[in-house]
Amino acid sequence: EVQLVESGGGLVQPGGSLRLSCAASGFMFSRYAMTWVRQAPGKGLEWVSIFGSNYVTYYADSVKGRFTVSKDISKNTLYLQMNSLRADDTAVYYCAKVGAPGGYNWFDRWGQGTLVTVSS
Amino acid sequence: EIVMTQSPATLSVSPGEGATLSCRASQSPSSHVAWYQQKAGQAPRLLIYGASTRATDIPARFSGSGSGTEFTLTISGLQSEDFAVYYCQQYNSWPLTFGGGTKVEIK
């Protein structure tokens, strides 16, 4: 069974940093792209970043230059390093697995999310 | 950037009735459109990908259709567990984008 478990969220001051983790199990982690999607309180879904099976990464403009996605195959874990955090980064952050191996496509499994609050 | 616009924002439906949710893309994402269901306090769940392919374990009352820039999610015979927010998403080009969502509520 596919499982994705996020951790690392919390309260951080504006300008601060945080690293989110997503522990994956139940599938061949190296073969699938993995993504981060966030949801501000009461708002819709916003795609943040993706790490491809070919190690290519993409970012939303809103986080480019501040966030870095990485993947540790040996630990079956996806990370999101978030620097220079702003109030509008406050959201629940979900990691998700893409549905088909080797490409960038739909997201077929999601974690339960971790809340990041940026506030002084 | 492909902007995905969903309508209506809220749909009031009686249990047992059908619902039609629309998603319009600012430019064609080919058939690279997915639909997700999200219930309060839960993570999204994949319903449809490739514009019309049901995901694993999704009931047949959910169907997706469309092409070009117009896509539709149809729910026939709404059940109590179907009242939720639904999002469309395109995965054809960067950045990946979601629609703003349609809330299906009990009438």
Side-chain angles (χ1 to χ4, degrees):
Chain A
E1 178 193 1
V2 172
Q3 284 203 320
L4 300 171
V5 180
E6 301 96 334
S7 60
L11 175 64
V12 61
Q13 291 189 337
S17 298
L18 212 55
R19 188 177 81 157
L20 306 183
S21 300
C22 172
S25 61
F27 64 102
M28 196 166 292
F29 189 61
S30 61
R31 293 189 64 203
Y32 290 84
M34 296 289 295
T35 195
W36 290 96
V37 175
R38 68 185 180 182
Q39 186 169 37
K43 302 298 184 182
L45 302 173
E46 180 188 16
W47 173 74
V48 173
S49 178
I50 197 164
F51 192 104
S53 59
N54 56 358
Y55 291 77
V56 177
T57 58
Y58 293 92
Y59 298 91
D61 285 347
S62 58
V63 306
K64 201 174 293 182
R66 301 187 300 122
F67 290 11
T68 302
V69 62
S70 60
K71 199 178 183 186
D72 187 332
I73 303 298
S74 67
K75 295 182 178 179
N76 274 18
T77 301
L78 179 74
Y79 300 100
L80 185 68
Q81 177 66 43
M82 303 185 296
N83 298 331
S84 303
L85 283 161
R86 312 184 303 221
D88 62 358
D89 294 318
T90 295
V92 174
Y93 285 73
Y94 296 100
C95 74
K97 166 189 165 291
V98 302
Y104 304 92
N105 42 73
W106 60 92
F107 308 143
D108 70 339
R109 292 291 188 272
W110 298 63
Q112 85 289 350
T114 187
L115 176 63
V116 172
T117 303
V118 184
S119 175
S120 55
Chain B
E1 172 177 330
I2 298 179
V3 177
M4 305 293 279
T5 302
Q6 291 187 242
S7 60
T10 304
L11 192 57
S12 298
V13 184
S14 299
E17 292 185 341
T20 301
L21 288 64
S22 296
C23 180
R24 174 176 292 177
S26 61
Q27 54 187 286
S28 176
S30 186
S31 62
H32 299 154
V33 172
W35 289 90
Y36 303 87
Q37 176 194 67
Q38 187 180 34
K39 298 179 183 178
Q42 296 185 17
R45 177 175 73 143
L46 175 70
L47 299 175
I48 301 287
Y49 63 92
S52 61
T53 302
R54 267 191 307 277
T56 303
D57 295 330
I58 300 303
R61 64 181 182 273
F62 291 93
S63 63
S65 62
S67 63
T69 60
E70 301 284 344
F71 298 89
T72 300
L73 176 70
T74 302
I75 313 170
S76 56
L78 267 116
Q79 300 190 5
S80 57
E81 61 267 30
D82 299 335
F83 292 95
V85 180
Y86 293 83
Y87 295 94
C88 61
Q89 179 224 347
Q90 67 81 20
Y91 50 92
N92 189 68
S93 64
W94 307 105
L96 307 183
T97 47
F98 290 90
T102 291
K103 181 180 180 181
V104 178
E105 63 177 25
I106 300 176
K107 186 175 183 180

